[in-house]
Amino acid sequence: MTVIEHEPDQITHEDEASHQGAPQDYAVLVLNDPTTPRLFVQEALSRCFQIFNDEARRIIEKAEKQDRTVVKVYPRDIAETKVSLANQFARGFTHPLTQKPMELTFVCEPV
């Protein structure tokens, strides 16, 4: 499994009135990586993102089926810190698990 952040242009939504000046949110994604054991990914989710048991297994299964899924959404600085911690944790065990943050913007359309 690999955890990444998406590039800013990949998820697009904007509500200029409510988000002007607000910190931008970033999604941390996990990508399917068949070389990293599921139990290690589950441990990384637990230690780095406080995601436990059933929720961690659901995220792993979804990533395996769809090749990637969102782990959590954070403000940019927190996303970058979590990604860095998760990358360091994986490298410490020589796993290719990799994280990146992805900017989210929100578009609200009139109803």
Side-chain angles (χ1 to χ4, degrees):
M1 298 262 167
T2 302
V3 180
I4 68 162
E5 332 168 24
H6 276 278
E7 298 305 315
D9 61 350
Q10 291 183 347
I11 296 181
T12 325
H13 291 289
E14 266 188 281
D15 178 2
E16 293 178 26
S18 65
H19 289 313
Q20 233 171 14
Q24 189 61 50
D25 287 334
Y26 280 68
V28 175
L29 300 180
V30 63
L31 299 182
N32 188 29
D33 169 17
T35 62
T36 303
R38 290 177 109 209
L39 286 176
F40 181 83
V41 177
Q42 191 168 349
E43 183 68 18
L45 291 171
S46 170
R47 286 180 183 233
C48 302
F49 301 99
Q50 291 70 49
I51 296 174
F52 304 99
N53 304 322
D54 291 340
E55 185 180 0
R57 284 190 290 276
R58 183 188 56 75
I59 288 171
I60 293 166
E61 289 170 1
K62 190 171 180 183
E64 288 173 344
K65 289 178 186 173
Q66 300 177 355
D67 288 329
R68 66 181 173 187
T69 192
V70 173
V71 174
K72 279 194 174 181
V73 175
Y74 301 99
R76 180 181 182 172
D77 59 336
I78 295 172
E80 289 173 346
T81 300
K82 297 280 189 180
V83 163
S84 177
L85 291 171
N87 282 334
Q88 290 173 16
F89 179 68
R91 295 307 171 269
F93 290 91
T94 64
H95 289 297
L97 186 67
T98 305
Q99 289 78 32
K100 283 183 170 182
M102 172 177 98
E103 184 177 356
L104 299 178
T105 54
F106 298 93
V107 175
C108 296
E109 297 185 13
V111 181

